[in-house]
Amino acid sequence: MMQPFVDSAATFRTVLNLEATNGYANRAVIGGLDKYVARWVSQCSPGHDFSVVCPQLKTLLLSPPAYAERSVDARRIWVASVLQELDHVEKGCDIAAQQGESAAQETGVGVIKKPKPGAVAVASLDWPVAGVKGVGQTIAVRLARLGVDCIRDLLYFFPRRFMDFSQRRTVSILETGKEQTIFVNVWEARQVMLGRMKSTEAVLGDETGNVRAVWFNQPWVAKQLKVNAKVALSGRVGEFNYIKVFENPEWEVVDDRELLHTGRMVPVYPLTGGLYPRQVRTMVRSALDVYLGNLPEFLPSPVRQRCGLMELQDAVMQAHYPIDYASQNKARQRLAFDELFLLQLGVLSKKRNWQEEQPGRRFRIEQKNINGFIEALPFKLTSAQLRVIDEICRDLGRDVPMSRLLQGDVGSGKTVVAAVALLEAAANGCQGALMAPTEILAEQHFATLYSLLSAISTGSSRETNIITFKGIMQREISVALLTGSLAAGDKSRIHELLRRGEVDIVVGTHALVQKGVQFAALGLAVVDEQHRFGVLQRSALKQKGYNPHLLVMTATPIPRTLALTLFGDLDISTIDEMPAGRQVIKTRWLKPQDRQRAYNFIRKQAGEGRQSFIICPLIEESESLEAKAAVAEHKRLSSEIFPDLRLGLLHGRMKNADKEAVMHDFKDGALDVLISTSVVEVGIDVPNATVMLVEAADRFGLSQLHQFRGRVGRGENQSYCILLSENPSEYGQERLRAIEELTDGFALAEKDLELRGPGEFFGTRQSGLPDLKMARLSDVRLLELARREAGILFEKDPGLTAVENELLRLEYYRIWHKSIENN
Ligand code: ADP
Ligand code: MG
């Protein structure tokens, strides 16, 4: 009987690993690898045509020369490549087994479809980096830690900065204090003790004079510097006893090869344990020498010309070994453009897909109804709220499904805007769903909707988690809450009602749409606090024959550039105004010695019936350490500081039900102080809480601190935010000053971005989008250029199927495919 394919792949892998261990001597199997490969191919191809799953593997296995005829180097590359392809095949089998054939197509983003297997070039660029000269298995493992797996990754492994050693001098005109390069002969080099360190000292010179060089703690350099050898030295020149001396200079032997470490702009690469600067420079250089020519120019030339961009191969070369800063900058521009352009193609494609693959439901918007609702509210909407309601209603009135982001600072009143949209859905005979990231937030939204709708209805009746309102429109409207902790019976009841179309608005967690809950007619989905979810899986929202309108809400204000980059697929509405009379939360950064004052203040507030939050320090290494710290802090505060108060504890390691219970107690006023890790950050509304104390506040980002602060000041009592910090870095101090001074979430977000950079600010990794290595969020012009070009391209060739866009499509697929796989 034939073995299942995956099993035989495992055997094959064992053989290959053995071959590697044996130093590629072609002794892993009796009779040699060529025979084994032939047998393996014939055995497993009839039932499992792996040439479809992985054409690369087939090509790799069957192309000459035979293994026996290859050099050891070539064998190493071949073995490493086959191992990697086997990996792909096995993963492919797993996915196919789990999800059936459609899986492969799902990974294509939007309207741009995955290229056919045969179209994927068998580029050596995808081969493991271990094949590069000077790399090998051990170093490959270290490179993998830096995200470098294949040869292409190494070509795209860009330096963090450069050392400018391009100033060449003779010894006589060396200037102290500057970075310079000299070409000299070695006169003498020896090991010496400098302080307690074994070091190297050398005397070197050219026709204009001699100079001393020392390498602290590097005794081996003495052996490498052969007397009379010609070397280049680069570094800062100091002076000691009136003699010029290079301290720890970069150096290399001068022969007919190109200089890599001296005499030019020298790249400084990110490193990890077991990788050294010289080694990485050499490896990158040899990858460039051998493989750069294989890198295809995928940008269509009209785009390149219109935008004045460097050619790809030049750009990659100049990004590593630039001739000067100007060309390095041009190279960066080109590579940054690529990232932004591909990103924009992706998000635009997603949007087009959403909006064009199926129509939406065109709602008939009755301004009269909306006005009636707005007028019945117990407060007056801000003009910003009115404006965004207008923007949303205009979208809802079209048969193109809405794709919109609603952003507004904490407390700016997004829920009521969502409520208007949800009512419009109901008025049009459709269902609306409001999704929150946690149960407690879902419950809160449910409560908010209840109070808003109660205000405008003539009466309501309640049956556990379903409330029916009368008098809002001609018929009754029912609103349901669906959460995981509901009794199974109640849950299936709501499922049933949703399926029959007897619930108009449902509030719940994300599981609401993920678990195949069926709607009779979902017309609008509102998703709150989207960044908690990463990228929304829109496909889960699709209905038969149409796509619902989509409104995403976020309280993390996003600066325009970032919004365009990450949410280019969403139109943006912004509530940039707070309801009148909102109090300003008094924010104070206290010195460590003022801690007792902070505690006294909390006690005083508790005496007046108010409640406080205490946020424990952020511990990035692990949630469990963070939880431990919170537990310890809770214990300390309970026994030493507030034995007379009622203290609660909340951290990420608690069971959901326990978390929810504690939050409920706090909301109900059964606790005076809530000690929590950062899990409390999002959206929770406790009007009676007036103090937010943040420990080690310098560890949190500005946006996060702003979110914490937004947890208080939600009732009528003056509220306070107290920041404690033991010993903040300069940069931490800057953030603490910023949060003390700025109350506007947008201003803070801009500041945060400026201080931290986009990766940390939003975590593109988390968001499921491709990494940005070269692009900066300050590249506004470039971003707009990329957006424009992506738009132009889409107008002409939405599927990128034209011949001249073939390479672009491959690159597009490669980039998005990777980021989707990683999710
Ligand atoms: P967020 O934008 O943070 O989600 P919410 O929608 O939860 O804010 O609104 C916060 C509170 O402000 C709610 O209690 C809501 O009823 C109230 N609110 C909303 N809009 C206004 C307004 N225009 N005037 C006064 N209060 C408002
Ligand atoms: Mg909210």
Side-chain angles (χ1 to χ4, degrees):
M1 221 190 83
M2 217 184 64
Q3 276 185 339
F5 176 62
V6 175
D7 279 353
S8 52
T11 321
F12 194 6
R13 182 190 302 284
T14 315
V15 167
L16 291 173
N17 284 326
L18 185 61
E19 177 65 12
T21 323
N22 288 348
Y24 308 95
N26 201 8
R27 285 205 315 257
V29 280
I30 297 168
L33 255 182
D34 290 305
K35 267 196 188 153
Y36 177 84
V37 167
R39 207 168 56 233
W40 190 83
V41 169
S42 71
Q43 228 185 41
C44 66
S45 43
H48 301 82
D49 191 357
F50 67 87
S51 61
V52 173
V53 187
C54 183
Q56 285 95 326
L57 180 58
K58 191 170 187 183
T59 315
L60 206 53
L61 291 180
L62 301 180
S63 309
Y67 187 79
E69 284 155 26
R70 292 176 195 241
S71 68
V72 169
D73 267 350
R75 286 177 182 180
R76 191 182 65 224
I77 295 174
W78 185 87
V79 167
S81 308
V82 174
L83 280 170
Q84 197 187 20
E85 291 305 334
L86 281 172
D87 237 28
H88 284 169
V89 174
E90 281 178 329
K91 273 191 204 131
C93 290
D94 285 352
I95 294 169
Q98 281 164 16
Q99 306 177 355
E101 271 302 291
S102 63
Q105 273 154 31
E106 270 288 301
T107 52
V109 175
V111 293
I112 301 172
K113 293 286 178 266
K114 179 185 177 178
K116 290 202 183 63
V120 183
V122 189
S124 49
L125 295 176
D126 292 322
W127 290 0
V129 71
V132 175
K133 195 168 145 221
V135 180
Q137 293 299 346
T138 321
I139 292 176
V141 171
R142 291 172 194 157
L143 283 171
R145 271 186 247 140
L146 296 167
V148 175
D149 297 313
C150 66
I151 292 170
R152 183 198 317 271
D153 295 339
L154 191 56
L155 294 178
Y156 273 83
F157 182 62
F158 296 118
R160 275 187 293 131
R161 60 186 180 88
F162 294 88
M163 296 183 290
D164 187 357
F165 293 151
S166 54
Q167 299 300 317
R168 297 191 184 188
R169 294 278 183 276
T170 54
V171 169
S172 61
I173 57 168
L174 281 174
E175 292 175 72
T176 48
K178 287 193 179 157
E179 312 235 286
Q180 294 149 89
T181 297
I182 50 172
F183 289 82
V184 280
N185 291 305
V186 180
W187 300 138
E188 186 192 354
R190 58 195 179 96
Q191 253 192 48
V192 290
M193 293 299 288
L194 293 176
R196 291 231 216 96
M197 289 179 285
K198 276 193 187 168
S199 306
T200 296
E201 182 183 52
V203 179
L204 317 97
D206 62 14
E207 58 280 6
T208 70
N210 291 345
V211 69
R212 217 166 69 96
V214 289
W215 285 267
F216 295 103
N217 213 9
Q218 299 177 52
W220 60 86
V221 176
K223 288 208 197 70
Q224 296 170 341
L225 288 174
K226 302 277 186 283
V227 172
N228 285 329
K230 194 165 167 63
V231 297
L233 286 193
S234 285
R236 195 177 295 279
V237 181
E239 212 171 64
F240 186 73
N241 287 344
Y242 302 105
I243 298 174
K244 296 211 169 93
V245 53
F246 278 88
E247 289 185 5
N248 295 329
E250 292 283 334
W251 69 276
E252 68 188 304
V253 173
V254 177
D255 49 24
D256 50 2
R257 277 176 300 184
E258 195 184 348
L259 293 174
L260 295 187
H261 314 291
T262 59
R264 63 181 310 151
M265 287 191 44
V266 173
V268 180
Y269 291 99
L271 296 174
T272 181
L275 282 181
Y276 305 95
R278 296 173 77 91
Q279 181 192 24
V280 176
R281 271 178 227 135
T282 314
M283 291 181 316
V284 170
R285 184 67 214 203
S286 75
L288 287 168
D289 289 343
V290 179
Y291 300 100
L292 186 60
N294 296 2
L295 206 58
E297 176 54 84
F298 58 82
L299 271 192
S301 63
V303 175
R304 232 182 49 230
Q305 274 156 15
R306 268 198 301 270
C307 303
L309 297 168
M310 211 180 229
E311 278 194 43
L312 182 58
Q313 293 184 7
D314 290 346
V316 171
M317 183 56 104
Q318 291 300 312
H320 288 285
Y321 285 101
I323 41 177
D324 52 25
Y325 276 113
S327 61
Q328 189 265 334
N329 189 43
K330 281 220 83 165
R332 191 194 74 79
Q333 298 258 335
R334 157 69 208 249
L335 297 164
F337 178 89
D338 287 356
E339 292 174 352
L340 296 171
F341 183 61
L342 288 160
L343 194 70
Q344 290 305 308
L345 282 178
V347 291
L348 288 183
S349 168
K350 260 191 350 188
K351 178 175 183 178
R352 282 180 81 101
N353 196 36
W354 183 248
Q355 299 196 322
E356 285 176 15
E357 122 213 282
Q358 302 198 110
R361 288 272 165 112
R362 179 202 295 262
F363 290 175
R364 258 190 51 189
I365 306 291
E366 302 269 3
Q367 197 59 42
K368 198 168 62 148
N369 288 346
I370 298 177
N371 291 345
F373 173 58
I374 290 174
E375 275 153 26
L377 286 171
F379 44 75
K380 197 165 163 287
L381 290 186
T382 62
S383 54
Q385 281 171 316
L386 291 170
R387 188 188 69 240
V388 301
I389 287 176
D390 216 45
E391 287 165 357
I392 290 167
C393 286
R394 236 177 295 148
D395 281 0
L396 296 177
R398 300 195 305 154
D399 53 12
V400 176
M402 173 165 75
S403 179
R404 190 169 280 280
L405 177 74
L406 172 60
Q407 55 172 343
D409 210 342
V410 271
S412 62
K414 295 182 290 292
T415 318
V416 63
V417 172
V420 172
L422 290 164
L423 282 177
E424 279 308 310
N428 281 273
C430 283
Q431 291 165 303
L434 173 54
M435 283 177 279
T438 63
E439 296 208 351
I440 190 108
L441 285 174
E443 283 173 25
Q444 190 172 295
H445 277 317
F446 187 64
T448 309
L449 278 186
Y450 175 70
S451 73
L452 288 172
L453 298 183
S454 298
I456 60 168
S457 74
T458 54
S460 65
S461 57
R462 177 162 193 161
E463 174 208 334
T464 54
N465 276 32
I466 307 168
I467 304 175
T468 308
F469 294 94
K470 293 188 187 66
I472 296 180
M473 38 186 101
Q474 267 95 351
R475 61 184 176 87
E476 293 186 344
I477 292 206
S478 67
V479 182
L481 174 67
L482 181 61
T483 60
S485 56
L486 231 56
D490 291 338
K491 236 188 265 180
S492 58
R493 169 113 209 286
I494 294 180
H495 283 174
E496 178 60 26
L497 292 176
L498 281 173
R499 194 158 43 235
R500 294 213 306 255
E502 285 168 27
V503 163
D504 297 290
I505 297 171
V506 62
V507 184
T509 49
H510 203 49
L512 200 60
V513 289
Q514 278 185 332
K515 292 209 177 118
V517 176
Q518 278 178 25
F519 289 86
L522 180 64
L524 167 70
V526 182
V527 184
D528 195 9
E529 305 295 357
Q530 113 116 23
H531 64 286
R532 294 273 128 182
F533 300 130
V535 167
L536 179 71
Q537 287 302 316
R538 293 182 182 208
S539 50
L541 297 173
K542 278 181 194 165
Q543 302 290 301
K544 257 205 194 88
Y546 70 96
N547 285 336
H549 296 291
L550 174 65
L551 182 66
V552 174
M553 304 199 290
T554 177
T556 305
I558 306 164
R560 186 180 153 72
T561 31
L562 192 56
L564 279 180
T565 311
L566 300 180
F567 300 119
D569 56 331
L570 300 168
D571 299 312
I572 298 175
S573 287
T574 305
I575 307 183
D576 50 7
E577 183 187 350
M578 287 299 225
R582 271 291 144 80
Q583 56 167 290
V584 172
I585 295 154
K586 291 189 176 156
T587 306
R588 288 288 170 276
W589 164 25
L590 293 187
K591 300 282 162 325
Q593 59 269 29
D594 292 330
R595 172 179 297 275
Q596 195 53 49
R597 266 178 58 204
Y599 291 152
N600 292 344
F601 187 70
I602 286 177
R603 176 184 304 286
K604 197 163 137 255
Q605 290 280 313
E608 291 169 21
R610 308 280 98 81
Q611 293 163 281
S612 303
F613 292 96
I614 296 181
I615 305 293
C616 299
L618 178 72
I619 298 176
E620 275 167 348
E621 297 90 77
S622 85
E623 198 179 53
S624 72
L625 280 181
E626 191 167 72
K628 252 193 207 144
V631 171
E633 181 68 356
H634 176 256
K635 196 164 160 211
R636 184 182 77 86
L637 291 172
S638 309
S639 59
E640 293 171 23
I641 312 288
F642 301 121
D644 50 330
L645 298 184
R646 297 163 302 167
L647 270 52
L649 172 66
L650 190 71
H651 61 71
R653 275 306 174 97
M654 286 161 61
K655 287 205 200 83
N656 267 341
D658 295 342
K659 268 192 254 178
E660 307 267 344
V662 170
M663 273 318 303
H664 273 294
D665 285 350
F666 191 61
K667 268 188 109 154
D668 296 345
L671 297 170
D672 300 303
V673 181
L674 182 65
I675 293 133
S676 171
T677 59
S678 56
V679 295
V680 82
E681 178 193 350
V682 182
I684 198 78
D685 210 351
V686 183
N688 193 46
T690 53
V691 181
M692 167 61 67
L693 185 153
V694 185
E695 290 281 355
D698 55 306
R699 298 211 195 145
F700 294 98
L702 279 179
S703 295
Q704 212 176 357
L705 287 173
H706 184 60
Q707 287 290 324
F708 288 144
R709 180 164 63 184
R711 297 304 111 230
V712 295
R714 303 184 76 85
E716 61 248 27
N717 300 301
Q718 175 61 52
S719 296
Y720 307 86
C721 178
I722 304 171
L723 309 165
L724 283 171
S725 170
E726 282 303 320
N727 188 16
S729 65
E730 207 165 297
Y731 151 72
Q733 293 183 28
E734 200 172 336
R735 270 186 292 167
L736 292 172
R737 270 194 297 273
I739 189 92
E740 240 189 332
E741 280 160 21
L742 301 174
T743 53
D744 172 38
F746 279 90
L748 277 167
E750 294 278 3
K751 187 81 189 176
D752 207 10
L753 198 56
E754 177 193 315
L755 291 176
R756 292 203 298 169
E760 280 177 79
F761 176 83
F762 220 76
T764 43
R765 230 164 258 288
Q766 231 182 329
S767 70
L769 297 165
D771 270 350
L772 299 178
K773 286 190 196 144
M774 285 303 218
R776 305 185 193 125
L777 269 298
S778 51
D779 286 331
V780 184
R781 194 193 68 88
L782 209 56
L783 178 69
E784 269 155 13
L785 210 58
R787 224 175 140 68
R788 187 193 76 192
E789 289 298 329
I792 294 175
L793 196 72
F794 260 127
E795 283 307 309
K796 286 206 207 115
D797 182 16
L800 303 186
T801 46
V803 181
E804 67 271 22
N805 295 329
E806 180 73 31
L807 288 170
L808 178 61
R809 186 158 63 107
L810 285 173
E811 181 68 7
Y812 171 88
Y813 177 70
R814 204 179 57 72
I815 295 277
W816 280 93
H817 182 65
K818 199 159 143 194
S819 85
I820 288 166
E821 265 183 356
N822 288 342
N823 255 271

